[in-house]
């Protein structure tokens, strides 16, 4: 059998090898906890996009109003000041977008770190319990017999232990002075 073989044998008493392989990328995409992180981040990203779109519309409306004033020469004496204020608002919005993007990236990294830590604990527990001496990454194995792949067993155990990882997005550093979201406790299954 070749490394790309879709056949995956569950970890049971028939696995006698002291070396096994695991598809970490698949687990980090398919686990309940990782999907929970993705869902929470997508929801927050949509909320941020809605807020930004609303602010963009208001700024574009103000820009169009200034263009109209410029064309009609109405209130010409206040135009430079109003243009400067509008530029400042555009710059502030750009900083806010960058800050929110950074906050989302940081939240993703932290939350997926919790999933990876739980994954490592599951792998270590399975390995110790079965006398496995080495667990190799599937992506780094040139060839292996499909019976050595313990991905399904690890995924099942991880899903049984950790279904949800709270995503904490720190908004305290945003230009609008947003408050940090309160994290909710992890939801492990016993």
């Amino acid at each position: 059998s070749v490394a790309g073989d879709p056949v995956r044998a569950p970890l049971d008493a028939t696995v006698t090898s002291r070396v096994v392989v695991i598809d970490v990328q698949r687990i980090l995409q398919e686990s309940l906890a990782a999907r929970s992180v993705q869902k929470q981040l997508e929801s927050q990203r949509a909320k941020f996009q809605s807020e930004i779109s609303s602010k963009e519309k208001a700024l574009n409306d103000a820009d169009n109003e200034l263009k109209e004033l410029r064309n009609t020469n109405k209130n010409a004496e206040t135009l430079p000041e109003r243009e400067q204020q509008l530029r400042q608002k555009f710059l502030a919005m750009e900083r806010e977008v960058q800050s929110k993007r950074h906050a989302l990236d940081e939240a993703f990294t932290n939350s997926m770190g919790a999933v990876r830590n739980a994954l490592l604990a599951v792998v270590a527990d399975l390995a110790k319990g079965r006398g496995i001496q080495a667990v190799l990454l599937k992506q780094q194995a040139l060839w292996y017999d499909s019976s050595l792949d313990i991905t399904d067993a690890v995924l099942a155990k991880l899903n049984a232990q950790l279904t949800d990882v709270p995503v904490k997005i720190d908004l305290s550093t945003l230009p609008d002075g947003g408050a940090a979201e309160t994290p909710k406790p992890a939801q492990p299954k016993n």
Side-chain angles (χ1 to χ4, degrees):
S1 174
V2 213
D5 189 350
V7 176
R8 304 213 188 318
L11 182 62
D12 58 24
T14 63
V15 176
T16 57
S17 176
R18 301 189 115 197
V19 176
V20 294
V21 294
I22 184 173
D23 187 345
V24 172
Q25 289 177 346
R26 180 175 153 230
I27 291 171
L28 291 177
Q29 290 172 348
E30 296 179 12
S31 72
L32 295 175
R35 287 182 179 181
S36 159
V37 168
Q38 286 294 341
K39 184 177 178 183
Q40 291 173 71
L41 285 172
E42 285 305 316
S43 172
Q44 191 62 50
R45 188 173 285 117
K47 179 181 171 190
F48 284 167
Q49 185 58 48
S50 175
E51 291 170 4
I52 295 299
S53 293
S54 165
K55 289 178 182 181
E56 263 181 346
K57 184 183 180 327
L59 288 175
N60 285 331
D61 289 348
D63 187 42
N64 289 335
E65 183 183 323
L66 277 177
K67 286 177 186 173
E68 188 177 308
L69 288 175
R70 206 176 301 119
N71 290 338
T72 61
N73 285 327
K74 290 183 181 177
N75 299 327
E77 65 281 353
T78 63
L79 278 178
E81 181 182 335
R82 291 177 73 180
E83 287 172 339
Q84 177 63 23
Q85 290 172 347
L86 187 60
R87 272 194 296 276
Q88 292 297 329
K89 288 178 182 179
F90 271 111
L91 288 173
M93 187 177 74
E94 188 177 301
R95 282 190 302 272
E96 180 183 353
V97 167
Q98 290 173 350
S99 294
K100 285 182 176 182
R101 193 171 289 144
H102 176 74
L104 285 173
D105 290 345
E106 190 172 304
F108 175 79
T109 299
N110 293 339
S111 298
M112 288 305 290
V115 175
R116 282 185 191 90
N117 289 340
L119 171 61
L120 288 173
V122 166
V123 169
D125 184 51
L126 279 174
K128 288 176 187 171
R130 309 250 189 232
I132 296 169
Q133 292 181 321
V135 179
L136 305 176
L137 296 176
K138 175 182 178 180
Q139 292 76 7
Q140 294 180 338
L142 182 59
W143 181 92
Y144 64 90
D145 186 281
S146 63
S147 68
L148 300 178
D149 189 331
I150 64 167
T151 303
D152 288 338
V154 171
L155 182 58
K157 189 167 183 178
L158 179 62
N159 283 343
Q161 290 183 4
L162 186 66
T163 59
D164 183 47
V165 172
V167 174
K168 180 184 176 200
I169 301 173
D170 183 4
L171 301 177
S172 63
T173 59
L174 293 182
D176 65 356
E181 287 190 3
T182 307
K184 55 183 178 177
Q187 308 263 330
K189 282 186 180 178
N190 290 332

